[in-house]
Amino acid sequence: MHNANIAVAMSKLILNVAPVTSSPEAKVSVGIQPYDKTTLDSLRQTHQRNYLIKRGGEDGNSILAIARKLGLATLGITTDEQTLSQAPWLLAPLAMDALADFFVQLHRPILKWRPLRVVSQRPINLFPQDAGLPPWLQRRVVLDFETRIIQADNRSKSVILACGVRTSNAIDANCVEIMQVGIPIIGRYVATRRNADGLGIRPSLKLAGRIVELRGSQLILDDHGDGPETLEASEAFLEPRNENLSWCLQHLLKHNTESVQHAAANLAAEYLSGPKRLELVGKTFDYLRSQPIELAPGVPLILGALAGSSQQSLPFLSEEIRKPYLVFDPSGTRTDSWNERGIDKNGPYDQRTFAPKQLRIAVLCQAAYEGQVDAFVAKFLDGMPDIKTGTGKWIRAPYEKGFIRRYALETPKIQTFTIPGTSAQDYVRASRQAIEAATNGGFEWNLAIVQIDKDFRELQDAENPYFATKVQFLKQRVPVQEITLDTMRFSDQQLVFALNNMSVATYAKIGGVPWLLKSHPTVAHELVIGIGSHTYSTSRLGASERVVGITTVFSSDGKYLLDDRTGAVPYEEYKTALLGSLTRSIESVRSVDNWRSTDAVRLIFHVFKQMADREAEAVGELVESLGLTQVKFAFLHVVDDHPFTIFDEQQPGIRKRDGLKGTYAPERGVTVRISDGESLLCMTGSRDMKLANQGMPQPALLRLHRCSTFRDMTYLTRQAFDFSCHSWRMFTPAPQPISIHYSELIARLLTGLRHVPGWDPDTMLGPVSRTRWFL
């Protein structure tokens, strides 16, 4: 599966975390009483400023209380003395409470409690001071603080504090004040303020609905969910979303809007860049270390150095995983670590067996753009050999061969069907004309290329021409490749990369196998099950539905293969569907590869959420019922939202026309072990960033479930990285392992198709489910 995996030698990696400790002998008195939710809520409401109140004890059956101010009595039936150095479950929340109190005393605006979000002291506002904007309209740099308990390989536990940097918008005027300065609010969503329980935290916002009418001092709302239909304008606030911020700027600044937004975006990019972000994190920790912050009376908060900043700082294991080998022929002799180079040199994996070589392609486009679409399709099929990119030794023609020669195909037979308008009905009629032409001609289409508008994405699924077209063709087992006018109008230097990615996705959609991922020889048979989700709602406050997609990858004959069947189900049904999919996959693979009941089997789950213990146990019970006795499991949660950032001080950045990109960004494949069951993995590196103002790419956090019986985090992290290099959707690396990435694509598309009149879910039970139709 890998070239040799090498340790990071030419890097200096620093994490945005510092260890949290107190004096070694520090003890606190803990009041203990039996747990009861009503009692817990009441204690927090009454004593939250003076005590740490939390649920704890064995199996969470106690309420724990620690006085945070001098002279306060112990709350509880019994009392226990705890040494904080041996009680990380108390040290972590005490540190957060102490930091919150500290910032409140400094009168620093606190926007959120978990994570603790504090407005940075400088810059106060990213908008230029001379822009003439009111003080209630701001874009600010904020700091997020979050504690984590980590566990070392020797099972010892400690506490770390992470400091993240991001930007946050503020629209602190109510709707009366907003209208007074000439900003219209009809059609905008508004929210009401909720108090923050007296902790010194700014009031949070609760979405109320969309304004459809002004009636005196009242706002008339729709899409208000279970809330009231009317709201006093003085109690309503615009959500500080980017679109509302831009809306206010447009009406306040008129012609200067673009220049002010550009200036703020550039300043934000500077503060979110690697060097400035690391400087701000470092200065913040330096400042906090210099302050007398107490966890409890006489118990100091002690912060160590940033992890990786010195030889004495918190140690961590790191590695740079090399790109995996991809296989371009069934014998396994033609391999390459670069997908594009490998396929141009060797051709696709299945070039000797793929059929038909001469495709029949239906092209559907709006009549007004027929000529442009025709020229675009010609470039797609025949290539653009004269367009070169790069400089010096890196000069190359990315789309020299075109779709036909790259994938060893013959000149296709093409027929164009024009669409008179832009409605879903217009697209359906053109689709039916194409299908009827194939029926009358006694042939089947192998591919439909459909021109759409980018604006179609803003439509409801049932009215979206793209989904309507896909429904018509999928029922006939015809994959669909969409193209937008925006893509067609790219400059040639941009277009070659778009065509590159379109070519590999299209070949996979029509049933081709561009390449396979080489697997590492193991004694155990292995199945990798990916679970991703998509949430759909027709309105902001209406009911939403969550759909879960399931993808299965298995190892066979030294290569990873994608299971033929793909599907998605409502979230409520996903547990049953997962067990059913797992049963079918195991039975299928064990039959083909002649598994014995005593063979070692490894099941690895890549999931979008933390699995419940009962879900993990259900998998074990299922496998036991199938008669497999030597099975190990790994449940790996791929976490997007977490507080960690990795800096590489040896990465000077890559120069682009718009400046340096990726300064201090680690290379793709860098991984850092946080604890025995958590790793950070960089699936986007400095070279993968498009623009200089994109800031720092965030790593994914891989978290191993406690019920996992296979616990080799090094193996699991390397495998997750390899799977991110195996996407057939584009040549550039995927932001996630394909196990999850494909599952999310399936869930998103099937959700859209389900809302289109005439869609038959049984379509996915047929042969089309065995193609990569979702790419």
Side-chain angles (χ1 to χ4, degrees):
M1 178 163 46
H2 308 274
N3 296 346
N5 289 277
I6 60 172
V8 181
M10 299 302 293
S11 307
K12 183 185 177 183
L13 301 182
I14 297 177
L15 300 184
N16 64 328
V17 303
V20 177
T21 58
S22 188
S23 51
E25 69 285 354
K27 292 185 178 182
V28 291
S29 294
V30 184
I32 304 171
Q33 59 184 292
Y35 169 74
D36 174 81
K37 186 178 187 305
T38 302
T39 304
L40 179 66
D41 293 342
S42 175
L43 287 171
R44 283 176 170 167
Q45 183 69 30
T46 307
H47 301 289
Q48 58 191 342
R49 294 300 301 271
N50 299 318
Y51 290 82
L52 168 69
I53 310 286
K54 74 183 295 289
R55 185 177 178 179
E58 188 174 348
D59 298 325
N61 56 7
S62 300
I63 297 175
L64 310 180
I66 301 174
R68 298 200 53 254
K69 293 182 180 178
L70 198 61
L72 294 177
T74 301
L75 291 179
I77 299 173
T78 61
T79 302
D80 183 27
E81 291 286 317
Q82 284 279 358
T83 302
L84 276 183
S85 61
Q86 299 172 14
W89 61 91
L90 297 176
L91 177 59
L94 280 171
M96 292 303 297
D97 277 6
L99 285 173
D101 278 355
F102 174 73
F103 286 119
V104 167
Q105 291 165 15
L106 289 181
H107 303 290
R108 293 277 288 280
I110 299 178
L111 307 181
K112 192 177 179 182
W113 169 234
R114 294 190 185 278
L116 181 63
R117 181 164 296 164
V118 182
V119 176
S120 175
Q121 196 166 10
R122 293 186 180 84
I124 295 175
N125 191 357
L126 293 172
F127 289 127
Q129 292 185 1
D130 59 1
L133 293 172
W136 49 260
L137 191 68
Q138 296 187 7
R139 188 177 181 194
R140 307 176 289 203
V141 175
V142 297
L143 303 173
D144 282 356
F145 296 94
E146 194 169 343
T147 53
R148 291 291 177 94
I149 299 174
I150 60 174
Q151 181 169 287
D153 291 334
N154 64 2
R155 315 304 290 175
S156 65
K157 294 181 179 180
S158 58
V159 178
I160 57 174
L161 174 67
C163 176
V165 182
R166 64 173 67 203
T167 61
S168 176
N169 300 331
I171 306 177
D172 285 336
N174 62 39
C175 284
V176 172
E177 296 166 313
I178 288 172
M179 288 187 289
Q180 286 174 347
V181 294
I183 300 174
I185 58 174
I186 297 291
R188 317 307 293 183
Y189 277 91
V190 290
T192 56
R193 283 183 168 174
R194 296 185 291 192
N195 68 49
D197 300 325
L199 288 173
I201 299 173
R202 291 288 180 90
S204 60
L205 294 176
K206 180 182 179 182
L207 187 61
R210 180 175 53 209
I211 304 170
V212 292
E213 183 185 345
L214 298 176
R215 192 176 296 167
S217 64
Q218 289 195 322
L219 310 178
I220 311 302
L221 309 176
D222 72 356
D223 190 19
H224 51 80
D226 296 329
E229 187 180 356
T230 62
L231 186 65
E232 285 292 331
S234 60
E235 298 175 359
F237 297 81
L238 287 181
E239 293 180 286
R241 293 161 64 99
N242 287 335
E243 58 265 34
N244 283 338
L245 200 73
S246 296
W247 180 258
C248 292
L249 290 172
Q250 290 167 18
H251 289 87
L252 290 171
L253 300 177
K254 311 299 183 191
H255 303 300
N256 293 332
T257 302
E258 189 172 337
S259 63
V260 168
Q261 285 182 306
H262 186 69
N266 284 342
L267 190 55
E270 179 184 344
Y271 275 91
L272 296 178
S273 68
K276 201 74 173 181
R277 188 189 295 237
L278 180 57
E279 178 187 349
L280 183 54
V281 169
K283 285 183 175 180
T284 299
F285 276 118
D286 287 344
Y287 174 69
L288 292 175
R289 286 189 205 97
S290 70
Q291 302 302 305
I293 304 173
E294 287 191 331
L295 300 165
V299 180
L301 169 66
I302 300 174
L303 294 173
L306 279 178
S309 61
S310 68
Q311 290 185 342
Q312 291 74 40
S313 63
L314 183 74
F316 55 83
L317 295 175
S318 63
E319 176 186 37
E320 184 174 336
I321 308 172
R322 288 184 175 177
K323 293 174 65 177
Y325 280 121
L326 306 174
V327 183
F328 293 90
D329 75 313
S331 70
T333 58
R334 298 180 180 180
T335 63
D336 204 310
S337 59
W338 183 12
N339 48 18
E340 185 182 339
R341 180 179 62 196
I343 209 163
D344 281 338
K345 179 181 177 181
N346 303 301
Y349 176 88
D350 63 345
Q351 62 179 312
R352 295 185 182 278
T353 57
F354 179 84
K357 289 291 187 181
Q358 186 179 49
L359 303 178
R360 287 186 175 271
I361 302 175
V363 176
L364 280 69
C365 65
Q366 295 170 26
Y369 306 113
E370 183 178 3
Q372 297 174 58
V373 171
D374 183 65
F376 176 87
V377 171
K379 292 176 181 178
F380 170 66
L381 295 173
D382 300 329
M384 302 176 69
D386 297 331
I387 305 303
K388 295 180 171 56
T389 63
T391 57
K393 66 177 182 178
W394 302 109
I395 289 180
R396 64 189 185 95
Y399 203 58
E400 181 178 10
K401 288 188 173 183
F403 183 69
I404 296 172
R405 285 197 297 149
R406 170 175 275 172
Y407 298 99
L409 301 172
E410 299 173 5
T411 302
K413 293 183 177 180
I414 301 173
Q415 188 172 348
T416 300
F417 301 86
T418 57
I419 306 167
T422 60
S423 70
Q425 292 76 14
D426 290 328
Y427 273 74
V428 167
R429 280 192 287 270
S431 302
R432 289 174 175 166
Q433 289 174 8
I435 293 166
E436 185 179 357
T439 303
N440 294 338
F443 63 87
E444 293 184 354
W445 297 113
N446 305 111
L447 173 68
I449 297 177
V450 182
Q451 172 257 314
I452 62 173
D453 294 344
K454 188 171 70 171
D455 294 343
F456 289 173
R457 298 170 188 167
E458 307 301 322
L459 300 173
Q460 297 293 338
D461 292 345
E463 302 168 357
N464 190 324
Y466 169 64
F467 283 132
T469 304
K470 211 168 182 74
V471 163
Q472 297 300 316
F473 281 108
L474 283 180
K475 288 195 291 187
Q476 304 299 319
R477 303 181 300 280
V478 181
V480 177
Q481 176 62 52
E482 78 279 6
I483 56 174
T484 65
L485 291 173
D486 287 8
T487 300
M488 288 165 45
R489 291 167 178 169
F490 280 172
S491 69
D492 286 347
Q493 297 292 321
Q494 294 176 291
L495 186 59
V496 287
F497 294 107
L499 292 174
N500 234 3
N501 292 331
M502 178 176 161
S503 74
V504 68
T506 301
Y507 188 67
K509 283 181 179 181
I510 62 177
V513 180
W515 60 79
L516 292 178
L517 177 65
K518 193 170 186 177
S519 66
H520 186 69
T522 61
V523 174
H525 303 294
E526 193 170 69
L527 284 175
V528 182
I529 299 92
I531 306 169
S533 75
H534 172 69
T535 302
Y536 172 83
S537 177
T538 57
S539 64
R540 294 283 308 281
L541 282 167
S544 62
E545 61 175 316
R546 193 174 200 177
V547 177
V548 175
I550 301 171
T551 300
T552 306
V553 181
F554 59 93
S555 61
S556 178
D557 194 25
K559 295 174 280 289
Y560 280 110
L561 306 175
L562 196 64
D563 189 23
D564 282 341
R565 286 283 297 279
T566 56
V569 295
Y571 179 78
E572 296 75 18
E573 302 172 15
Y574 108 86
K575 297 173 191 175
T576 302
L578 171 61
L579 296 177
S581 175
L582 186 58
T583 301
R584 180 178 50 76
S585 297
I586 290 175
E587 294 288 13
S588 173
V589 179
R590 78 189 295 188
S591 173
V592 172
D593 286 359
N594 297 315
W595 290 8
R596 295 185 299 270
S597 61
T598 56
D599 283 355
V601 177
R602 186 181 303 137
L603 302 179
I604 297 172
F605 295 81
H606 293 166
V607 292
F608 68 94
K609 71 176 190 70
Q610 187 73 7
M611 292 186 79
D613 290 355
R614 183 65 196 117
E615 293 173 313
E617 292 165 1
V619 171
E621 293 166 3
L622 169 72
V623 173
E624 186 176 339
S625 72
L626 296 176
L628 297 172
T629 59
Q630 302 296 320
V631 180
K632 289 192 173 183
F633 311 90
F635 303 98
L636 197 66
H637 180 196
V638 182
V639 186
D640 292 324
D641 189 13
H642 60 82
F644 301 113
T645 303
I646 306 174
F647 301 92
D648 181 0
E649 285 193 306
Q650 300 299 320
Q651 172 54 265
I654 298 169
R655 186 160 297 283
K656 299 284 287 185
R657 292 180 181 177
D658 59 339
L660 280 175
K661 70 170 186 175
T663 306
Y664 284 15
E667 289 297 329
R668 177 175 162 77
V670 165
T671 176
V672 168
R673 178 76 69 87
I674 297 295
S675 67
D676 70 333
E678 288 187 320
S679 290
L680 295 173
L681 173 61
C682 296
M683 287 188 269
T684 302
S686 55
R687 299 180 187 279
D688 305 308
M689 298 174 65
K690 304 296 183 189
L691 302 170
N693 63 0
Q694 286 183 309
M696 284 278 292
Q698 288 295 99
L701 174 64
L702 308 182
R703 178 180 295 145
L704 190 61
H705 193 282
R706 64 181 181 178
C707 292
S708 299
T709 53
F710 181 77
R711 303 193 61 84
D712 187 339
M713 277 301 290
T714 299
Y715 179 91
L716 293 170
T717 303
R718 291 173 180 175
Q719 184 186 66
F721 173 73
D722 286 357
F723 276 26
S724 73
C725 299
H726 186 34
S727 172
W728 291 343
R729 193 167 190 239
M730 56 183 63
F731 280 111
T732 49
Q736 295 173 306
I738 60 164
S739 44
I740 290 184
H741 190 48
Y742 283 5
S743 297
E744 290 184 349
L745 292 173
I746 292 166
R748 187 174 68 200
L749 285 171
L750 282 180
T751 301
L753 295 174
R754 283 169 51 190
H755 298 123
V756 176
W759 169 246
D760 182 2
D762 288 347
T763 299
M764 301 314 298
L765 299 177
V768 71
S769 72
R770 301 183 183 278
T771 68
R772 308 296 164 245
W773 62 274
F774 50 86
L775 295 175

